[in-house]
Amino acid sequence: MPSRSTTRTSGSPRSGSGRRGLGRALVALLVVGAVGAATPAHAAPENPLRHIVPAPVSATPRPGVTFTLGADTRIHTHPGSAGAEQVGEFLAGVLRPSTGYRLPVVPGASARGITLLLAGADPRVGDEGYQLDVTRLGVVIRARTAAGLFAGVQTFRQILPAKVEAKTKQRGPFTAPGGRVLDYPRYAHRGAMLDVARHFFSPDEVKRYIDQIALYKVNRLHLHLTDDQGWRLEIKSWPNLTAHGGSTEVGGGPGGFYTQEQYRDLVAYAAARHITVIPEIDMPGHTNAALSSYPELNCDGVAPPLYTGIEVGFSSLCIDKDITYRFVDDVLRELAALTPGKYVHIGGDEAHATTDPDYDLFMDRVLPLVAAHGKVATGWHEFVKAGPPASAVPQFWGTRTTAPDVVEAAARGNQVVLSPANKAYLDMKYDASTPLGLSWAGYTDVQDAYDWNPGAYVEGLPAEAVRGVEAPLWSETLTNSADVEFMAFPRLPAIAELGWSPWSTHDWEGFKVRLAAQGERWDVQGVNYHRHPQVPWRG
Ligand code: TNX
């Protein structure tokens, strides 16, 4: 068995009835919405508009103005848009239990109450941004897409008191500060990864994490579905992958897997929160669970035992056998049919038991299979050595700031997602005293996770080649939601802010104060966050 200290180097909305009424209401709203020049959020005086994570592009307070939710507040959504209505129902779902108000979601637009409109937004909002206006009478969120409205709703939640997050009725008032926010993301890919292979997490545990990351405008959930210790997705043409390969996990626990129906439900749950699932089938290494399930996938025809340790780099699919590619083709076919998102992650990391020529041969056969099933490949950055097509997205996970092969891939047109292990790996211990996690990439405190610029991080990698950032959470030492939350909070919001906020807002001193405000929300939500001493937690 190789040792753990191995070479981890490398470094239209449908138009419907009520349009005329909508037009009139819009004119009124645009007049109400006119305010002066924006100031950066972090320079504003004490005001909940200052507590938004990720920091918005601009936030301008309306001093002395507040909006208060009332028992008669209605949520008006752009007529004829199912997407806007779904966002309205999401907001109502958050606010009804804590306020006890009915908060009906109705088509229309109004200067009173809450309005979610797919019209009239500043064009700078693009496809995922929004404009939020809070006046005495009402709250209006405008965007060009439902995704933008959803992002605006996350901001609105954060400027209401933390008690709105409660699952039981709270005492009012529920008041938001007046102001205008104009906001849109820096990067297209703002990801979180959850390793459900080393330890299995139930669908409800995954949904809980989805809800937590959605609040920070994360728009990709990468699920690491297979590894040496477990195969977690039902593949109907190869049933032993889960029957046997899903039957354990690190430490020898019971493991588990998602049926295809459960996986579809997770994908839909994420989609309702404007998060696209990127499923990963890690290969050709990290495949002991598959090799143990089907002897014919092994070069010697002998199935190895199931594995419950945490070493890496010892397994490989058999590169020379045709059945290997029938297997991969079947898995990718079923996976692609279940996955609406355009990306499929094929792993490719730590293939220490595969020779370099074999690795190339493998990727040369597998990359076309991904395309044949209508998907675009993403993979751990090692796969750039196989020369993937320019559409493929390497995920950089090195601990250094040099990665010549990744820079070369960018020169060939590949866009890169950054997950530097010593910054973005949420499974690294905060410090020596952290009871969970690993430390092979070093300790990563909250400031470490926050203080790096994705646009100027890897030497020689042009800013335009960066597609975004992702925070992986590997689960060798994590067994339940409490463990996941302890490692992810407060560092996940740091990576989420690097993915969303313009670099001009970057400021550790301001960020830690904004995180402290999030802590009040996590207290109410029951999130088991780590009260790391770098953050001036309140209370
Ligand atoms: C490296 S990062 C791995 C995983 C481990 C992780 C633990 C990468 C692509 N591979 O197999 O779980 O370190 O931090």
Side-chain angles (χ1 to χ4, degrees), residues 118-195:
L118 291 169
D122 185 310
R124 283 174 292 175
V125 303
D127 284 346
E128 288 188 280
Y130 65 91
Q131 194 178 305
L132 166 70
D133 280 284
V134 180
T135 62
R136 189 175 61 80
L137 291 178
V139 173
V140 185
I141 300 175
R142 299 179 182 86
R144 299 169 92 166
T145 62
L149 293 177
F150 187 79
V153 159
Q154 304 317 312
T155 294
F156 179 51
R157 283 169 76 178
Q158 292 190 15
I159 65 171
L160 285 164
K163 64 188 172 191
V164 300
E165 301 292 338
K167 289 281 167 281
T168 54
K169 195 167 179 302
Q170 306 294 302
R171 225 175 225 285
F174 306 98
T175 300
R180 164 173 283 192
V181 176
L182 171 67
D183 201 14
Y184 46 87
R186 182 180 183 187
Y187 292 117
H189 183 115
R190 307 178 302 278
M193 188 211 84
L194 186 62
D195 171 8

Side-chain angles (χ1 to χ4, degrees), residues 8 198 286 349-350 380 397 425 427-428 440 474 476:
R8 295 177 190 283
R198 269 52 177 273
H286 290 275
D349 59 313
E350 301 176 315
W380 299 107
W397 62 280
Y425 270 32
D427 61 312
M428 289 302 119
W440 66 263
W474 301 98
E476 286 92 335

Side-chain angles (χ1 to χ4, degrees), residues 4 8 193 195 198 224 227-229 280 282 286 310-313 345 347-350 379-382 395 397-398 419 421 425-428 437-441 472-476:
R4 268 207 77 73
R8 295 177 190 283
M193 188 211 84
D195 171 8
R198 269 52 177 273
H224 184 75
D227 213 301
D228 289 317
Q229 299 85 348
E280 178 183 354
D282 201 349
H286 290 275
I310 66 167
E311 300 298 336
V312 298
H345 200 297
D349 59 313
E350 301 176 315
W380 299 107
H381 73 254
E382 287 100 312
Q395 181 170 6
W397 62 280
S419 301
Y425 270 32
L426 302 178
D427 61 312
M428 289 302 119
L438 303 174
S439 58
W440 66 263
L473 185 44
W474 301 98
S475 64
E476 286 92 335

Side-chain angles (χ1 to χ4, degrees), residues 225-424:
L225 289 169
T226 68
D227 213 301
D228 289 317
Q229 299 85 348
W231 187 285
R232 308 299 179 202
L233 177 66
E234 176 190 26
I235 301 294
K236 295 198 196 249
S237 54
W238 295 74
N240 215 34
L241 288 171
T242 46
H244 175 73
S247 66
T248 191
E249 59 191 355
V250 168
F257 66 91
Y258 310 121
T259 64
Q260 294 201 350
E261 197 183 328
Q262 286 174 321
Y263 174 80
R264 275 189 214 275
D265 179 57
L266 280 177
V267 168
Y269 190 88
R273 286 145 187 82
H274 295 276
I275 294 175
T276 304
V277 169
I278 300 178
E280 178 183 354
I281 303 295
D282 201 349
M283 51 197 171
H286 290 275
T287 43
N288 187 77
L291 296 167
S292 180
S293 304
Y294 287 97
E296 58 269 44
L297 293 176
N298 296 268
C299 287
D300 63 3
V302 179
L306 289 168
Y307 181 67
T308 61
I310 66 167
E311 300 298 336
V312 298
F314 59 89
S315 57
S316 179
L317 291 173
C318 188
I319 308 304
D320 300 335
K321 282 187 159 181
D322 273 345
I323 192 167
T324 295
Y325 305 96
R326 290 206 296 278
F327 164 73
V328 173
D329 191 31
D330 288 343
V331 169
L332 290 176
R333 177 183 313 106
E334 293 194 32
L335 184 64
L338 294 167
T339 304
K342 77 183 222 199
Y343 291 99
V344 165
H345 200 297
I346 56 171
D349 59 313
E350 301 176 315
H352 309 315
T354 319
T355 65
D356 279 356
D358 274 0
Y359 187 92
D360 278 353
L361 278 172
F362 180 80
M363 288 296 172
D364 285 351
R365 289 191 69 171
V366 167
L367 284 162
L369 295 177
V370 176
H373 294 298
K375 298 295 172 187
V376 175
T378 177
W380 299 107
H381 73 254
E382 287 100 312
F383 90 149
V384 298
K385 65 187 180 193
S391 58
V393 179
Q395 181 170 6
F396 172 75
W397 62 280
T399 56
R400 303 184 186 165
T401 56
T402 50
D405 46 357
V406 173
V407 173
E408 274 169 38
R412 296 193 299 266
N414 298 92
Q415 281 213 307
V416 182
V417 167
L418 297 179
S419 301
N422 52 336
K423 304 280 180 193

